[in-house]
Amino acid sequence: MPLTMGDDLTTANRDLSDSQVFWNFWEAHNHALKNFCRHMLRRNDHDVDDVMSDVMLKAYHGLSRHLIEHENPKAWLWRVAYHTCLRWLKTNATNSRYVGLIEEIDYETTSSHSSIVEDMLVKHELQDRVLQLIEELPERLRDPFILYIFHGMSYQDIADKFKITQENARKRVQQARDSLRSRMGAFFSEAPGALGRTSAMSPISSSGATSRLRMIEGQVERLLHEHVSHEIEWEVNETREVQVQLPTGVTVGYHILLGQKHPRRDSHIASLRQYIERHPRGWKKHLELAEILFALGRWDEAIGEYRVVTTLQPGHLNAWLQLGLILRLLEREDEAVTVYQESMQHARRPATRHCLLGMIALCRESLREAAQEFKQAVALEPSNIAYLHALGDVYVRAGRLVEALQIFDEILARNPDDVTALVNSHSPLLDTGRWAELERRLTRALTLNPNDALALAELARIRFEHKMLHGPEGRETLRLLKRAARLAPDAANIQWYTALFYLTRGEAARAVSLVRAFLQSHLDSSHAWYYYAFVLRECRDFQPAIEAAAHAYRLDPHNYYIAILACELFLVGKRTADLQSVVEELLAQFPERWDVQTTAGRAIALGLGDEERGCQIAARALQLQPDFPFTWQHYAQLLFDVGRYREAQDAWYQCWERIHADAGTKFFFTFAFSIANCHHRLSEFEQAREWYQRSYDAAMHSPHVTASLYARRAREALAQLGTKE
């Protein structure tokens, strides 16, 4: 029979062995004890289970032989759990200063007011009270204190942030600490039952204690969302390029994020399967196997293991999310939606539910709705980095690169070493011309994770775009590319970066040979066909480029990069019927992407002969991304190409005003040259001369590979204008 705090252990268990008595006792308190440890650790169930195993072993050895004679076994058990959790926090937690603070305030305030062993049962409530009192501190004390305790900032960093002296920063943290110690002492003196304790020493009734406890919990709910673990956790320790086969038979590549590193994945699978065969209900091993299979690209097998985890451990929301992600990436969207809907039953927090609704919106390609849901999740749990990453990824997918960069900047402001944010910044930084900042972030990412193939390739691209093509610098650039290719030999995008290197160096034949050889061994890869078409277009070999793009589009018509390239090449090849089909599909599938609007508008105006409609559709991009210079650039170029020079000039000026202060010089010499062209066509020769000169000066001081071409063209235009005068 189960034991409770008030059981007469001798009477209840006189016919049982010591071991049987212990296991009855353990089963009676296991659930409550696990909740206590979960609250103490503020972590996920993986860590709680590890700690519970330690507690069980210590309790078994300490109680099994003397349980019946023990004066207060339940209190002893909670004391063991409490100290085990503290040791775990000291070893593993990043906010070790907070652990020390809890210990310090806890012992100073409780030891002098009560010697009741049951204090161990309410220590997690004490932590809640500490968090509430931190929130109530004056701002001048609270902010430095939080940065020091929770974020681990040094006194010097805090001083720099608030523009105070280092000594002043230290003093503010100490004043906050003293205030907390004092107010906690007053709290125990004035309301000894406020934390739910009832004893002969406590004049507050049980109902009063419960009422006060509920009040405290309500007051600190918002603060707890900022400082405790979340239902959905963010943990990324490795990245990997994988190739997976879709239900259609097409192979696609993905850059995936992994929570755990498994150095010997292939050999570990067999041992995990043997363990699972002996212990089929051991959900943690199923989870570990699922993660390994996901990392290896064996996603059909991974789906089966994740389904087992969600059955055995339905509250493990990260497993539900991973299962939904795999199904969505495999284009099994209906199944993914079902998974997210089922997981909603286990979500306790509003932020979690908003996140799951955002995932459902992603499955339905409603990027705007997904962004709104993730923003709601961020608003409710601003400290949960997982929601910020989800929001940033949606912005990148929607082409909202300015907003994406703001999100990644916010993540890095909290954690400068967030590798995912460092690497995922590459598209927004590249397209806003912030080359120096991009190089800094990629270099930092590779310091933290040297085996990130995408970061290696992107860093190499920055180098060859800045003429690091020959000699020692060129060899270093090529070394980065070769290392990326070794890490991801089947990733088409990595081969593309290497081909671009050779193209930039003037070795077009070598570039084409490289992507063609890769394609021949990856004929079912839509990405391989896409990059082959891209390189052929750059070499101005349009006919085979058009055929390759058409094949890529047939393999994967839902990829907007492939559809955009096909649209551009069908326009060049005057394949009107194909162009019409792709344009309508683009507009129907991706109405929220600005580059789809400009590409479709250009195709309609120049390829399908409807100039007015084409310009109107291209203008929609300005509503989607009004602050992005590339939006205005594409719109302005279309206006110029259809002969609307005055409107084009206005659009180019809008583009110029939106160049970021840190943008690379490439933007300045290309945009200035386009503005000069507009003035030239409008016979505004003085203004044209001024802007050609700006373009020339910027190009002469630019390390970019195309700078010499623009410098020559600007010089020729200036000479022509000079001759006219």
Side-chain angles (χ1 to χ4, degrees), residues 504-541:
T504 309
R505 205 158 70 166
E507 301 178 35
R510 191 168 184 177
V512 173
S513 175
L514 178 71
V515 290
R516 182 185 292 121
F518 181 84
L519 174 63
Q520 288 171 352
S521 58
H522 298 80
L523 291 173
D524 59 351
S525 169
S526 58
H527 293 176
W529 284 96
Y530 166 78
Y531 289 119
Y532 181 55
F534 188 101
V535 171
L536 290 173
R537 184 192 67 172
E538 294 300 297
C539 297
R540 306 191 70 78
D541 195 355

Coordinates of all heavy atoms in Angstrom, one line a residue, residues 504-541:
T504 N 34.6 34.0 -60.8 CA 35.1 35.3 -60.4 C 36.6 35.4 -60.8 O 37.0 36.5 -61.1 CB 34.9 35.6 -58.9 OG1 33.6 35.3 -58.5 CG2 35.3 37.0 -58.5
R505 N 37.3 34.3 -60.8 CA 38.7 34.3 -61.1 C 38.9 34.3 -62.6 O 40.0 34.3 -63.1 CB 39.4 33.1 -60.5 CG 40.9 33.4 -60.3 CD 41.4 32.5 -59.2 NE 41.5 31.1 -59.5 CZ 42.2 30.2 -58.8 NH1 42.9 30.6 -57.8 NH2 42.3 29.0 -59.2
G506 N 37.7 34.2 -63.4 CA 37.8 34.2 -64.8 C 38.0 32.8 -65.4 O 38.3 32.7 -66.6
E507 N 37.8 31.7 -64.6 CA 37.9 30.4 -65.1 C 36.5 29.8 -65.3 O 36.1 28.9 -64.6 CB 38.8 29.6 -64.1 CG 40.1 30.1 -63.9 CD 40.9 29.3 -62.8 OE1 40.8 28.1 -62.8 OE2 41.7 30.0 -62.1
A508 N 35.8 30.3 -66.3 CA 34.4 29.8 -66.5 C 34.4 28.4 -66.9 O 33.4 27.7 -66.4 CB 33.8 30.7 -67.6
A509 N 35.2 27.9 -67.7 CA 35.2 26.5 -68.1 C 35.3 25.5 -66.9 O 34.6 24.5 -66.8 CB 36.3 26.2 -69.1
R510 N 36.2 25.9 -66.0 CA 36.4 25.1 -64.8 C 35.2 25.1 -63.9 O 34.8 24.1 -63.3 CB 37.6 25.6 -64.0 CG 38.1 24.7 -62.9 CD 39.4 25.1 -62.4 NE 39.9 24.2 -61.4 CZ 41.1 24.3 -60.8 NH1 41.9 25.3 -61.1 NH2 41.5 23.4 -59.9
A511 N 34.5 26.3 -63.8 CA 33.3 26.4 -63.0 C 32.2 25.5 -63.6 O 31.5 24.8 -62.8 CB 32.9 27.9 -63.0
V512 N 32.0 25.6 -64.9 CA 31.0 24.8 -65.5 C 31.3 23.3 -65.3 O 30.4 22.5 -65.0 CB 30.8 25.1 -67.0 CG1 29.9 24.2 -67.7 CG2 30.3 26.6 -67.1
S513 N 32.5 22.9 -65.5 CA 32.9 21.5 -65.4 C 32.6 21.0 -64.0 O 32.2 19.9 -63.8 CB 34.4 21.4 -65.7 OG 34.9 20.0 -65.5
L514 N 32.9 21.9 -63.0 CA 32.6 21.5 -61.6 C 31.2 21.2 -61.3 O 30.8 20.1 -60.8 CB 33.1 22.6 -60.6 CG 32.9 22.3 -59.1 CD1 33.8 21.2 -58.6 CD2 33.1 23.6 -58.4
V515 N 30.3 22.1 -61.7 CA 28.9 21.9 -61.4 C 28.3 20.8 -62.3 O 27.3 20.1 -61.9 CB 28.1 23.2 -61.6 CG1 28.4 24.2 -60.4 CG2 28.3 23.8 -62.9
R516 N 28.8 20.6 -63.5 CA 28.3 19.5 -64.4 C 28.7 18.2 -63.8 O 27.8 17.3 -63.8 CB 28.9 19.7 -65.8 CG 28.3 18.6 -66.7 CD 29.0 18.7 -68.1 NE 28.7 19.9 -68.8 CZ 29.5 20.8 -69.3 NH1 30.8 20.6 -69.0 NH2 29.1 21.9 -69.9
A517 N 29.9 18.0 -63.3 CA 30.3 16.8 -62.7 C 29.5 16.4 -61.5 O 29.1 15.3 -61.3 CB 31.8 16.8 -62.3
F518 N 29.2 17.5 -60.7 CA 28.3 17.2 -59.5 C 26.9 16.8 -59.9 O 26.3 15.9 -59.3 CB 28.3 18.5 -58.6 CG 27.5 18.4 -57.4 CD1 28.0 17.8 -56.2 CD2 26.1 18.8 -57.4 CE1 27.2 17.7 -55.1 CE2 25.4 18.6 -56.2 CZ 25.9 18.1 -55.1
L519 N 26.4 17.5 -60.9 CA 25.1 17.2 -61.4 C 25.0 15.7 -61.9 O 24.0 15.0 -61.6 CB 24.7 18.1 -62.5 CG 23.3 17.9 -63.2 CD1 22.2 18.0 -62.2 CD2 23.1 18.8 -64.4
Q520 N 26.0 15.2 -62.6 CA 25.9 13.9 -63.1 C 25.8 12.8 -62.1 O 25.2 11.7 -62.3 CB 27.1 13.6 -64.0 CG 27.1 14.4 -65.3 CD 28.4 14.3 -66.1 OE1 29.4 13.8 -65.5 NE2 28.4 14.8 -67.3
S521 N 26.3 13.1 -60.9 CA 26.1 12.1 -59.8 C 25.0 12.5 -58.8 O 24.8 11.8 -57.8 CB 27.4 12.1 -59.0 OG 27.8 13.3 -58.5
H522 N 24.2 13.5 -59.2 CA 23.0 13.9 -58.3 C 21.9 14.3 -59.2 O 21.3 15.4 -59.1 CB 23.4 15.1 -57.4 CG 24.5 14.8 -56.4 ND1 25.8 14.8 -56.8 CD2 24.5 14.4 -55.1 CE1 26.6 14.5 -55.7 NE2 25.8 14.2 -54.7
L523 N 21.5 13.5 -60.2 CA 20.5 13.8 -61.2 C 19.1 14.0 -60.6 O 18.2 14.7 -61.2 CB 20.5 12.8 -62.3 CG 21.7 12.7 -63.2 CD1 21.6 11.5 -64.1 CD2 21.9 14.0 -64.0
D524 N 18.9 13.5 -59.4 CA 17.6 13.6 -58.8 C 17.5 14.8 -57.8 O 16.5 15.0 -57.1 CB 17.2 12.3 -58.0 CG 18.2 12.0 -56.9 OD1 19.3 12.6 -56.9 OD2 17.9 11.1 -56.1
S525 N 18.5 15.6 -57.8 CA 18.6 16.8 -56.9 C 18.2 18.1 -57.7 O 18.8 18.5 -58.6 CB 20.0 17.0 -56.4 OG 20.2 18.2 -55.8
S526 N 17.1 18.6 -57.2 CA 16.6 19.9 -57.9 C 17.6 21.0 -57.7 O 17.7 21.9 -58.5 CB 15.2 20.2 -57.3 OG 15.3 20.4 -55.9
H527 N 18.3 21.0 -56.5 CA 19.2 22.0 -56.3 C 20.4 21.9 -57.2 O 21.0 23.0 -57.6 CB 19.7 22.0 -54.8 CG 18.6 22.3 -53.8 ND1 18.8 22.2 -52.5 CD2 17.3 22.7 -54.0 CE1 17.7 22.5 -51.8 NE2 16.8 22.8 -52.8
A528 N 20.9 20.7 -57.5 CA 22.0 20.5 -58.4 C 21.6 21.1 -59.8 O 22.5 21.8 -60.4 CB 22.3 19.1 -58.5
W529 N 20.4 20.8 -60.3 CA 20.0 21.4 -61.6 C 19.9 22.9 -61.5 O 20.3 23.6 -62.4 CB 18.6 20.8 -62.0 CG 18.7 19.4 -62.5 CD1 18.5 18.3 -61.8 CD2 19.1 19.1 -63.8 NE1 18.7 17.2 -62.6 CE2 19.1 17.6 -63.9 CE3 19.4 19.7 -65.0 CZ2 19.4 16.9 -65.0 CZ3 19.7 19.0 -66.1 CH2 19.7 17.6 -66.2
Y530 N 19.4 23.5 -60.4 CA 19.3 24.9 -60.2 C 20.7 25.6 -60.3 O 20.8 26.6 -61.0 CB 18.6 25.2 -58.9 CG 18.7 26.6 -58.4 CD1 17.9 27.6 -58.9 CD2 19.7 27.0 -57.5 CE1 18.0 29.0 -58.5 CE2 19.8 28.3 -57.0 CZ 19.0 29.3 -57.6 OH 19.1 30.6 -57.2
Y531 N 21.6 25.1 -59.5 CA 22.9 25.7 -59.5 C 23.7 25.6 -60.9 O 24.4 26.4 -61.3 CB 23.8 25.2 -58.4 CG 23.3 25.7 -57.0 CD1 22.9 24.8 -56.1 CD2 23.2 27.0 -56.7 CE1 22.4 25.2 -54.8 CE2 22.7 27.5 -55.5 CZ 22.3 26.6 -54.6 OH 21.9 27.0 -53.3
Y532 N 23.4 24.4 -61.5 CA 24.0 24.3 -62.9 C 23.4 25.3 -63.8 O 24.2 26.0 -64.6 CB 23.7 22.9 -63.4 CG 24.2 22.5 -64.7 CD1 25.6 22.6 -65.0 CD2 23.4 22.0 -65.7 CE1 26.1 22.3 -66.3 CE2 23.8 21.7 -67.0 CZ 25.2 21.8 -67.2 OH 25.7 21.5 -68.5
A533 N 22.1 25.5 -63.8 CA 21.5 26.6 -64.6 C 22.0 28.0 -64.3 O 22.3 28.8 -65.1 CB 20.0 26.6 -64.4
F534 N 22.2 28.2 -63.0 CA 22.7 29.5 -62.5 C 24.1 29.8 -63.1 O 24.4 30.9 -63.6 CB 22.8 29.5 -61.0 CG 23.1 30.9 -60.4 CD1 22.1 31.7 -59.9 CD2 24.4 31.4 -60.4 CE1 22.4 32.9 -59.4 CE2 24.7 32.6 -59.8 CZ 23.7 33.4 -59.3
V535 N 25.0 28.8 -63.0 CA 26.4 29.0 -63.5 C 26.4 29.2 -65.0 O 27.1 30.0 -65.6 CB 27.3 27.8 -63.1 CG1 28.6 27.9 -63.8 CG2 27.5 27.8 -61.5
L536 N 25.6 28.4 -65.7 CA 25.5 28.6 -67.2 C 25.0 30.0 -67.5 O 25.5 30.6 -68.5 CB 24.6 27.5 -67.8 CG 25.1 26.1 -67.8 CD1 24.1 25.1 -68.2 CD2 26.4 25.9 -68.6
R537 N 24.0 30.5 -66.8 CA 23.6 31.8 -67.1 C 24.7 32.9 -66.9 O 24.8 33.8 -67.7 CB 22.4 32.2 -66.2 CG 21.7 33.5 -66.5 CD 20.8 34.0 -65.4 NE 21.4 34.2 -64.1 CZ 20.9 34.8 -63.1 NH1 19.6 35.1 -63.1 NH2 21.5 35.0 -62.0
E538 N 25.4 32.7 -65.8 CA 26.5 33.6 -65.6 C 27.6 33.6 -66.7 O 28.2 34.6 -67.0 CB 27.2 33.3 -64.2 CG 26.3 33.5 -63.0 CD 25.8 35.0 -62.9 OE1 26.7 35.9 -62.8 OE2 24.6 35.2 -63.0
C539 N 27.7 32.4 -67.3 CA 28.6 32.3 -68.5 C 27.9 32.7 -69.8 O 28.5 32.5 -70.8 CB 29.1 30.8 -68.6 SG 30.0 30.3 -67.2
R540 N 26.6 33.1 -69.7 CA 25.9 33.6 -70.8 C 25.6 32.5 -71.9 O 25.5 32.7 -73.1 CB 26.5 34.8 -71.5 CG 26.7 36.0 -70.5 CD 27.1 37.2 -71.2 NE 26.0 37.8 -72.0 CZ 25.0 38.5 -71.4 NH1 25.0 38.7 -70.1 NH2 24.0 39.0 -72.2
D541 N 25.6 31.2 -71.3 CA 25.3 30.1 -72.2 C 23.8 29.8 -71.9 O 23.4 28.9 -71.2 CB 26.2 28.9 -71.8 CG 26.1 27.8 -72.8 OD1 25.4 27.9 -73.8 OD2 26.9 26.8 -72.6

